[in-house]
Amino acid sequence: LVPDLYYTASVVSVCDRGTGFAKTLSFTTLRAIPFTEDFALTDYMAQHGWTQWTGDILNGGALSKSIVKDWVWTNTDAAGIASSKVMWKITKNGANNTPQEQHTILMSPAIWMEVDESGKALLSFDLSLTATDSTRCEGRRFAVLVSTDDGATWDIANAIMWDSTATSDLVFADIPDTSTHYTFDLSAYTGRTIRMAFYASSPATQSAGYLHLDNISLAANYVGCGAPEDLSAEEYETGKIAFSWQGDSEMTYELQISLNSKFMGILHAD
């Protein structure tokens, strides 16, 4: 069956007294690689199976469905360039306009990670940030986490995280103010059904800021065949030629023979 389509099925009994239909079953197949989300629809959540949650996911906190949608659809990125994307408003005021901590999650639909042994599963997305000065970024985080049990637990140890410490590989304040493309290897999750959590957090603050996310994709990237090198031929008996070349010991090669530019045949070699 084709991924991410709505199907109906019925069981039919066939006998000499006629045929009859059992109760019809309806289901939607899992999304699978290649998976893309460009947030072109304002109702991408209802149409494409995304949900919003709150909770301190990096510290194992319990998650709850979010009533207030902290990730909102917009058609303008941080530099004012028109584009369909979702935007996280970093600050969130509590009762009586008092600052409060923010832990917000945009969770993907379930995705089947099917990639054969020769390929890699690559996650990519565009990211940009409004207001990158240090006073507005201090203590803030953005992370991507993966769950293989439908969101019951999350792989915190392997989270892709933009932290606010200068020693981090990815620093929150260094996120550019124009859409920048990032790619990460999720091959460790192949052969499983996953959900992704795009998590953002901020300490209690009133400083304004916006994080923009767009063009999420999961795709298979297959390693290409390397070209053989140092091809040589040596006649060791009249009419008998020995060919040699350098290549991958795990690769199977074809030796294609031509005479005066006319193709004559293929010899298989390991």
Side-chain angles (χ1 to χ4, degrees):
L1 301 180
V2 178
D4 192 22
L5 284 183
Y6 181 81
Y7 289 89
T8 58
S10 299
V11 177
V12 181
S13 58
V14 180
C15 58
D16 55 6
R17 291 174 293 176
T19 61
F21 286 91
K23 185 177 180 179
T24 298
L25 174 69
S26 300
F27 59 92
T28 300
T29 49
L30 285 172
R31 294 162 177 84
I33 289 178
F35 169 84
T36 60
E37 177 59 77
D38 60 5
F39 301 110
L41 300 175
T42 56
D43 59 343
Y44 66 91
M45 292 182 60
Q47 294 292 328
H48 295 172
W50 292 81
T51 52
Q52 293 199 38
W53 301 73
T54 58
D56 189 358
I57 193 172
L58 287 176
N59 291 310
L63 306 186
S64 59
K65 275 281 187 74
S66 179
I67 299 176
V68 177
K69 300 299 184 285
D70 294 322
W71 290 93
V72 297
W73 188 89
T74 180
N75 64 354
T76 306
D77 73 4
I81 302 173
S83 176
S84 299
K85 59 185 65 209
V86 291
M87 177 182 69
W88 169 51
K89 184 177 181 180
I90 295 175
T91 59
K92 180 179 179 180
N93 293 326
N96 300 319
N97 203 35
T98 57
Q100 65 181 31
E101 288 188 14
Q102 188 176 7
H103 300 276
T104 182
I105 298 160
L106 182 64
M107 191 182 301
S108 77
I111 305 167
W112 169 240
M113 297 278 284
E114 184 177 10
V115 181
D116 69 30
E117 295 180 354
S118 66
K120 293 183 177 182
L122 299 183
L123 166 67
S124 63
F125 52 86
D126 296 338
L127 197 64
S128 58
L129 176 66
T130 301
T132 58
D133 64 88
S134 59
T135 59
R136 298 184 181 187
C137 296
E138 185 176 352
R140 289 169 174 164
R141 289 176 168 181
F142 173 69
V144 183
L145 300 93
V146 173
S147 172
T148 57
D149 54 13
D150 202 32
T153 61
W154 296 89
D155 187 1
I156 299 173
N158 294 304
I160 303 164
M161 183 165 63
W162 282 258
D163 208 338
S164 57
T165 58
T167 56
S168 301
D169 292 336
L170 298 167
V171 179
F172 190 91
D174 291 341
I175 299 173
D177 62 359
T178 56
S179 292
T180 302
H181 196 67
Y182 295 90
T183 300
F184 301 94
D185 191 346
L186 296 189
S187 300
Y189 305 102
T190 55
R192 308 183 201 180
T193 299
I194 71 165
R195 287 185 186 270
M196 296 180 293
F198 294 83
Y199 165 80
S201 68
S202 177
T205 177
Q206 289 185 335
S207 299
Y210 301 90
L211 187 70
H212 304 257
L213 179 65
D214 198 9
N215 297 322
I216 298 171
S217 74
L218 268 172
N221 180 44
Y222 293 99
V223 179
C225 298
E229 298 178 351
D230 301 328
L231 176 63
S232 63
E234 182 180 355
E235 186 175 14
Y236 63 93
E237 290 183 20
T238 302
K240 294 183 179 180
I241 304 294
F243 294 92
S244 65
W245 59 85
Q246 298 294 322
D248 189 341
S249 60
E250 302 296 324
M251 186 73 66
T252 298
Y253 294 93
E254 292 180 349
L255 180 63
Q256 301 181 2
I257 306 295
S258 300
L259 176 63
N260 295 328
S261 301
K262 183 178 181 180
F263 179 72
M264 296 183 64
I266 295 176
L267 300 176
H268 294 274
D270 295 326

